[in-house]
């Protein structure tokens, strides 16, 4: 569990719910969030980044100066395999699904 692994002063950010449930059964914040650990959430959308900020990232990618660690690439036909690999927590970087 991410909360149990966070050190004091750490922040755990919940960024998505794959199971589609937004309420965690039997979750007790006073019991389950360790002392000194912060729990936050982000469910953002396109409005959370300005056109200029997005362009900055596009420029970094175009220049080849954005360093993103790729864990593994999969062709689209192996999407189910890519998802299983993601669930294994062994990617050690971003998982890329190629659409071409």
């Amino acid at each position: 569990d991410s909360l149990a692994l966070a050190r004091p002063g750490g922040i755990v950010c919940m960024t998505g719910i794959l199971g589609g449930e937004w309420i965690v059964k039997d979750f007790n914040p006073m019991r389950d969030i360790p002392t000194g650990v912060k729990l936050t959430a982000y469910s953002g959308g396109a409005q959370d980044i300005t056109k200029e900020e997005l362009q900055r990232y596009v420029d970094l990618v175009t220049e080849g100066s954005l360093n993103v660690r790729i864990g593994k690439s999969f062709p689209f036909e192996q999407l189910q395999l890519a998802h299983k690999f993601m669930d294994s927590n062994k990617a050690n970087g971003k998982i890329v699904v190629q659409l071409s």
Side-chain angles (χ1 to χ4, degrees):
D1 176 52
S2 297
L3 286 168
L5 295 174
R7 67 178 179 218
I11 300 171
V12 175
C13 181
M14 187 170 71
T15 59
I17 301 292
L18 292 176
E21 294 289 329
W22 286 99
I23 298 172
V24 179
K25 186 178 178 182
D26 299 323
F27 177 69
N28 178 336
M30 295 300 289
R31 178 193 68 211
D32 298 332
I33 302 174
T35 300
V37 172
K38 297 177 178 87
L39 174 63
T40 185
Y42 175 75
S43 60
Q47 71 278 4
D48 292 343
I49 187 168
T50 67
K51 183 178 178 181
E52 293 77 21
E53 290 169 322
L54 178 59
Q55 187 60 52
R56 181 173 156 250
Y57 287 104
V58 170
D59 292 344
L60 290 171
V61 170
T62 302
E63 296 165 5
S65 57
L66 183 64
N67 186 13
V68 178
R69 178 182 286 186
I70 304 299
K72 193 167 184 179
S73 295
F74 294 86
F76 183 76
E77 296 76 25
Q78 293 181 353
L79 185 59
Q80 288 180 336
L81 235 108
H83 199 277
K84 286 180 184 177
F85 187 67
M86 179 188 68
D87 287 343
S88 76
N89 289 324
K90 296 178 182 175
N92 199 20
K94 297 295 182 184
I95 298 170
V96 175
V97 177
Q98 300 167 341
L99 300 178
S100 56

